[in-house]
Amino acid sequence: MSPLGGRRKGTRCERVPREERTGHREGQNLSVPTDFILAGVTRLPGLQLPLFVTFLAIYTVTVVGNLGMILLTRLDSRLHTPMYFFIRHLAFIDLGDSTVIYPKMLVNFMVNRNTISYCACATQMVFFVFFIISELFILSAMAYDRYVAICSPLLYNVIMSRGRCRVLAGIPYLYSTLQALVITIKIFTLPFCSTNVSHFYCDNVPLLLILCSNAQDIELLIVLLSAFNLISSLSVVLSSYALILSAICRMRSAEGRKKAFSTCGSHLTVVVVFYGTLLFMYVQPKSAHSFESDKFTSVFYTLVIPMLNPLIYSVRNREVKNAFHRVFRWGCYSNGVLTPTPIATRFITAKFQKQLTRRCAEERRRIVPCGHAGARLCYMAPGNMTLVTEFILMGVSGRPELQVPLFLVFLVIYVLTAAGNLGIIALTTVDPRLQTPMYFFLRHLAVINLGDSTVIAPKMLSNFLAKKKTISYYGCATQLGGFLVFIVAEIFMLAVMAYDRYVAICNPLLYVAVVSRRVCLLLVSLTYLYGLFTAVVFTLCVFSLSFCCSNAINHFYCDIPPLLSLSCSDTHVTETLVFVSAGTNLVFSITIVIVSYSNIILSILRIRSAEGRKKAFSTCASHMVAVTVFYGTLLFMYLQPGTNHSLDTDKMASVFYTLVIPMLNPMIYSLRNKDVKGALQKLITDPGCACKPTLLQRLDMNGSRCPALLGELMSTGLTTDHSGKRF
C-alpha cells in the first residue's frame, strides 16, 4: 500500500499513442500481457551470486526463527498467554510476507530472464498486501495487550480473554483480505502498456506506472487507504504507549518500573523499526521518491525485519529461552536423574497405557533400569518416568568374534570412499578440462557421498572396538538429520544429472546455453535446500516423540524406522508422513530419470552411425549404473510392505547404500571415463600444466577484449559433442 511518485514511460506502447497514455480511445485493441519482467535488486552481473547467497542465508534464518517461534508458543503451555498468542500470529505473518516474495527473487538471481507470469504477479501482490496490512494491525493489537497488562493487571485475564484475542487477530486478517482483493482487482482489470516492472516483486507502485489508462482514481484510493492504515494503527500504538508511560511513571519502586519496561522493550523495538521503515518509504514527498531507495527499503521490511523479529522476541526474553530448553531438552537433572517436563509427560496418556505395557512386556530383557543414564522414558508407574540421555546402537552384528574383522572391512571401505570422493572433488576442481556441467554435478555427488559416509562410518567404527556402544541423545538427532540431508540430496542430484545427460545428447547445440552456470548453481542449491528442509522436519517429528521400554536401537546408526519402534507415543502420523515423503521423493526423482533416459534412448536410436551411438551410450553408462544400484537399494528398503519389513534386512541394505555405494561411485565414474583418467595422469605427471586454463576458458575470461584469441579459437574448429565437453 503506498502513495505514488511520478509517472514513468512504458517501453511497449506501440498500440497506444503517446498523447493518450492516460486514456485509451474507444475500441482500442489492447492485449493482456502473459508475463512481466522484474527489474530485480540490481542488474550488475557480478553481484548476482553474492546477493543470492546473502538473501538465501537471511531467508533461511527468517524461516527457522519464525517457525521456531510458532512451534515454541504452540507446544509450551507456559507461553499460552495473550502476549505469545499475538507473537505467534506475528511470526506467521512475517514468515508469509517473506515467503511470498523471496523464493521467486532467489530464483531470479540465478536465471537470465527475470519473468513472472500475469497470474503469479497478481497472486504475489494480493498476499503481499494481505500480510503487510495484517502486520500493521497485529502490532496495534499487541500494543493494546501491553497497555492492559501494565495499566490494568488485575483485570488482564478478564479483558484479554481467549475470545477477545481471537477477535483482535481475526479482524486484521479479514480487513487486509478485503483490501488486498479490492486493490489487486482494480489494478489487474486495467490494460498494461509495458511489461517491465521496476521492482524485485509485484507492488502497486511500479504496476500503476505501466498502466495505459487513467489510474488517478486507483492512486487516490491507495493514498487514502495507506494513510488510514498508518494513522489508525499508529494512533493505537501511540495512545497505548502514552498511557503505559504514564502508568510506569506513577510506580514508586525502581524494580517495578524496570520490570514494566522490560515487558514492553521487545515490542517497542519492533514497532519503531517497522513503522519507521514504512513512514520513510511511503510518506516521503513525490519529489524525493526514488525506486532505487524504495528497493532497499522494501528489502528491509520484507526480509530483514521478519528475520529480526524472532531474534528481538527471544534474545532478551527469558520465558522464550526457558521454553526452548523445555521443549527441546525434555527434562532437567535432579539428584543425578533426569525428570520429565510437562512437555514430555503430555505424550504418555491413558490412551497409550495398553500399548506401553505390551511393548515393555515384549522387550523386558532389553529394558535399561529406571534411573540409569541410558533410559529415555523408562516407564515405572503411571506418572513416573525418567528421560534418556543416550541410546545403545546394536550394530551390524552382536557376535563378539566378528567385531574386529568387521572393523577392518568397514575401515578399508571408508578409507576408499574418502580417498575416491576427495579425489573426484580435487580433480574436477583443479583440472580446467573438467569445468563442465557434467563434472560440476559429479563433484557435488562426491561431496554428498563423502558426507553420507562420514555421518555414519566414524561412529560405527568406534563402536566396533568399544564396550559401551552408545550415542548421546543429541548425537543421535544430529546423525539422523545429517543422514537425511545427504540421502535426499543424493536422490535429486542423480535426477539432475540425468537431466544434464538428456540435454547434452538431445540438444547438444544448446547445451551450454540451457545448462548454464546459473542453472547449475540453482539446481544444486535447490537440491541441498530441499534435503535440509526434509531433514529438519523429520528429525523434529521423530524426536518430539516419547521413548520408553528400551533405548537399544536395532541398527548401526540412528534411522527413522528403528527409532519409531522404540516410541511409546502414537507414531501413526509420523509413519504415514515418512512413507508418503519417501514415496513422493522416489517417484518424482525416478520419473525425471526415466523420462530423461527414454528421450536419450530415442535420440540415440535416431543416430545413424554406430560410432555415434556407441559414444552417446558411453556418456550415460556410468550414470545409469549408479542410478540402478542406488534406486534399486532404496526401493527395496523403503517401499517394501509392512508385513515383510525387517530391521535385519534393512541393516544389510543400509550398509550397501550408506557405505558401499559411496565407495563404488568414484570408481564407476572414473574407471570408464577417459577424461577423468587423463586428468589424473596429467595431474600426477605435470601438475603445473594440468592447472592451466584451456583455450575456451581463456576466451571466457578475455574473449571480448582479445580478438587474436578469438581467431585462434576459430582456427581450432571448436565443437560441442554428445558428452557435454566444451571443446
Side-chain angles (χ1 to χ4, degrees):
M1 301 298 302
S2 55
L4 304 173
R7 266 299 179 89
R8 186 179 60 181
K9 294 183 179 180
T11 58
R12 295 186 182 180
C13 300
E14 293 83 356
R15 298 185 182 180
V16 182
R18 180 176 297 179
E19 63 271 17
E20 297 194 20
R21 289 283 176 84
T22 58
H24 60 275
R25 292 186 300 230
E26 186 177 357
Q28 184 72 42
N29 183 23
L30 295 172
S31 60
V32 177
T34 57
D35 296 295
F36 290 102
I37 301 173
L38 298 172
V41 178
T42 179
R43 295 184 181 275
L44 296 175
L47 292 178
Q48 301 300 307
L49 185 58
L51 285 175
F52 170 81
V53 174
T54 302
F55 287 123
L56 178 61
I58 294 174
Y59 180 62
T60 302
V61 174
T62 301
V63 171
V64 172
N66 286 288
L67 282 177
M69 187 63 70
I70 294 169
L71 186 66
L72 283 177
T73 55
R74 185 71 180 174
L75 288 180
D76 195 287
S77 58
R78 300 186 189 183
L79 300 185
H80 291 174
T81 62
M83 182 176 78
Y84 292 106
F85 172 82
F86 291 121
I87 288 177
R88 180 163 67 249
H89 282 276
L90 180 65
F92 166 74
I93 291 169
D94 286 336
L95 181 62
D97 196 9
S98 297
T99 303
V100 164
I101 295 170
Y102 284 91
K104 179 62 180 173
M105 176 185 174
L106 292 171
V107 171
N108 285 348
F109 276 126
M110 309 306 295
V111 297
N112 293 324
R113 188 171 174 83
N114 303 337
T115 59
I116 184 172
S117 69
Y118 182 84
C119 294
C121 185
T123 304
Q124 189 181 63
M125 181 176 166
V126 165
F127 280 103
F128 166 70
V129 175
F130 167 78
F131 285 117
I132 204 70
I133 296 174
S134 297
E135 186 160 3
L136 280 170
F137 290 100
I138 285 292
L139 288 174
S140 301
M142 294 173 74
Y144 174 73
D145 169 74
R146 292 298 83 204
Y147 154 72
V148 176
I150 292 175
C151 299
S152 302
L154 299 179
L155 298 175
Y156 179 67
N157 291 328
V158 177
I159 297 174
M160 299 303 296
S161 62
R162 193 174 212 179
R164 181 163 295 182
C165 289
R166 289 177 176 174
V167 170
L168 290 174
I171 290 176
Y173 287 138
L174 291 174
Y175 173 71
S176 58
T177 300
L178 176 64
Q179 199 168 131
L181 289 174
V182 168
I183 292 174
T184 305
I185 290 171
K186 273 190 164 292
I187 290 176
F188 280 85
T189 52
L190 296 176
F192 292 92
C193 56
S194 174
T195 57
N196 295 317
V197 179
S198 58
H199 217 312
F200 58 89
Y201 67 95
C202 293
D203 195 8
N204 52 56
V205 177
L207 286 171
L208 285 172
L209 294 179
I210 58 176
L211 289 174
C212 298
S213 57
N214 194 331
Q216 289 184 355
D217 56 338
I218 302 178
E219 292 179 8
L220 180 61
L221 176 65
I222 292 175
V223 169
L224 292 176
L225 289 175
S226 299
F228 172 77
N229 294 337
L230 279 172
I231 292 172
S232 59
S233 59
L234 197 56
S235 298
V236 174
V237 172
L238 292 176
S239 301
S240 298
Y241 275 103
L243 294 170
I244 287 171
L245 186 62
S246 176
I248 291 175
C249 291
R250 289 196 298 269
M251 294 180 182
R252 295 182 179 181
S253 68
E255 186 65 26
R257 288 195 296 270
K258 182 180 178 181
K259 187 175 182 179
F261 268 121
S262 67
T263 62
C264 303
S266 299
H267 181 257
L268 196 57
T269 304
V270 171
V271 163
V272 170
V273 173
F274 182 77
Y275 280 96
T277 307
L278 284 185
L279 289 171
F280 170 78
M281 181 172 180
Y282 290 124
V283 190
Q284 57 182 315
K286 290 186 178 181
S287 58
H289 192 79
S290 167
F291 279 112
E292 294 303 320
S293 62
D294 281 356
K295 284 183 186 179
F296 292 101
T297 311
S298 299
V299 167
F300 195 76
Y301 77 80
T302 59
L303 188 64
V304 177
I305 289 178
M307 177 192 70
L308 292 177
N309 283 351
L311 301 177
I312 292 171
Y313 281 109
S314 60
V315 173
R316 297 187 60 189
N317 191 315
R318 290 183 181 179
E319 291 180 345
V320 173
K321 289 190 284 188
N322 291 337
F324 178 83
H325 289 294
R326 286 194 297 270
V327 170
F328 293 104
R329 290 181 60 183
W330 293 83
C332 55
Y333 280 102
S334 177
N335 299 323
V337 178
L338 276 171
T339 56
T341 64
I343 297 295
T345 57
R346 68 186 294 183
F347 292 99
I348 303 286
T349 62
K351 181 180 178 180
F352 304 117
Q353 293 288 335
K354 293 182 179 179
Q355 181 184 5
L356 177 65
T357 305
R358 177 178 57 80
R359 290 189 179 182
C360 285
E362 290 175 354
E363 302 188 20
R364 191 176 302 278
R365 293 182 180 180
R366 298 194 306 178
I367 295 178
V368 178
C370 295
H372 189 275
R376 173 59 186 166
L377 277 178
C378 181
Y379 184 70
M380 299 187 303
N384 296 322
M385 292 175 292
T386 56
L387 300 182
V388 61
T389 58
E390 58 187 24
F391 291 99
I392 299 173
L393 295 172
M394 303 299 289
V396 178
S397 174
R399 298 175 63 180
E401 66 273 12
L402 293 179
Q403 301 303 301
V404 174
L406 286 174
F407 169 80
L408 295 175
V409 171
F410 287 116
L411 178 62
V412 171
I413 291 175
Y414 180 63
V415 170
L416 291 175
T417 301
N421 286 289
L422 285 174
I424 291 290
I425 294 168
L427 281 177
T428 55
T429 302
V430 171
D431 195 290
R433 292 172 177 80
L434 302 183
Q435 305 300 316
T436 62
M438 181 176 77
Y439 294 107
F440 174 80
F441 295 129
L442 180 58
R443 178 163 67 246
H444 284 277
L445 180 65
V447 171
I448 291 169
N449 286 153
L450 182 62
D452 197 6
S453 296
T454 303
V455 165
I456 294 169
K459 183 62 181 176
M460 176 187 177
L461 292 171
S462 66
N463 282 349
F464 277 127
L465 303 178
K467 293 182 179 179
K468 191 177 181 182
K469 307 178 189 300
T470 59
I471 184 171
S472 69
Y473 180 76
Y474 293 111
C476 187
T478 303
Q479 188 181 64
L480 176 62
F483 164 70
L484 291 176
V485 168
F486 290 117
I487 202 68
V488 174
E490 186 166 3
I491 289 174
F492 288 98
M493 189 62 68
L494 289 171
V496 167
M497 294 173 75
Y499 171 74
D500 169 72
R501 293 299 82 211
Y502 156 73
V503 178
I505 292 175
C506 299
N507 296 289
L509 298 179
L510 298 175
Y511 179 66
V512 177
V514 174
V515 191
S516 63
R517 182 176 180 81
R518 284 187 177 183
V519 172
C520 292
L521 291 171
L522 178 62
L523 291 173
V524 169
S525 300
L526 290 176
T527 298
Y528 286 129
L529 282 174
Y530 180 70
L532 179 62
F533 172 77
T534 304
V536 171
V537 169
F538 283 108
T539 304
L540 289 176
C541 283
V542 171
F543 282 87
S544 63
L545 301 173
S546 305
F547 298 97
C548 59
C549 302
S550 173
N551 68 335
I553 299 175
N554 188 19
H555 218 308
F556 59 90
Y557 68 95
C558 293
D559 197 8
I560 293 176
L563 284 169
L564 291 180
S565 67
L566 300 181
S567 176
C568 46
S569 302
D570 187 0
T571 61
H572 176 71
V573 175
T574 305
E575 289 173 353
T576 304
L577 185 63
V578 169
F579 183 81
V580 171
S581 178
T584 303
N585 292 340
L586 282 172
V587 171
F588 183 72
S589 57
I590 287 178
T591 301
I592 295 174
V593 172
I594 292 174
V595 171
S596 298
Y597 275 105
S598 298
N599 288 301
I600 287 171
I601 291 171
L602 292 174
S603 181
I604 290 174
L605 292 176
R606 288 195 294 267
I607 298 174
R608 295 181 179 180
S609 67
E611 184 65 27
R613 288 195 295 270
K614 181 180 178 181
K615 188 174 183 180
F617 268 121
S618 68
T619 63
C620 303
S622 300
H623 184 256
M624 286 182 69
V625 173
V627 163
T628 303
V629 174
F630 182 77
Y631 282 103
T633 309
L634 284 185
L635 287 170
F636 169 77
M637 181 169 181
Y638 284 115
L639 297 185
Q640 55 182 314
T643 55
N644 297 333
H645 193 80
S646 168
L647 290 177
D648 291 326
T649 57
D650 282 355
K651 284 184 187 180
M652 298 302 106
S654 298
V655 166
F656 199 74
Y657 76 77
T658 59
L659 296 173
V660 178
I661 290 178
M663 177 191 70
L664 293 177
N665 280 349
M667 299 179 185
I668 293 171
Y669 283 103
S670 60
L671 293 179
R672 298 189 60 189
N673 192 311
K674 293 180 180 180
D675 294 334
V676 174
K677 289 191 287 187
L680 181 61
Q681 290 173 357
K682 289 180 181 178
L683 184 64
I684 294 172
T685 57
D686 191 356
C689 181
C691 298
K692 291 180 181 177
T694 64
L695 184 59
L696 183 63
Q697 286 148 356
R698 287 159 59 200
L699 179 68
D700 289 340
M701 293 183 290
N702 305 304
S704 60
R705 297 177 301 227
C706 187
L709 192 61
L710 181 60
E712 180 186 351
L713 178 64
M714 293 175 65
S715 67
T716 62
L718 180 65
T719 59
T720 304
D721 62 18
H722 291 299
S723 66
K725 291 179 61 178
R726 297 173 65 182
F727 66 95

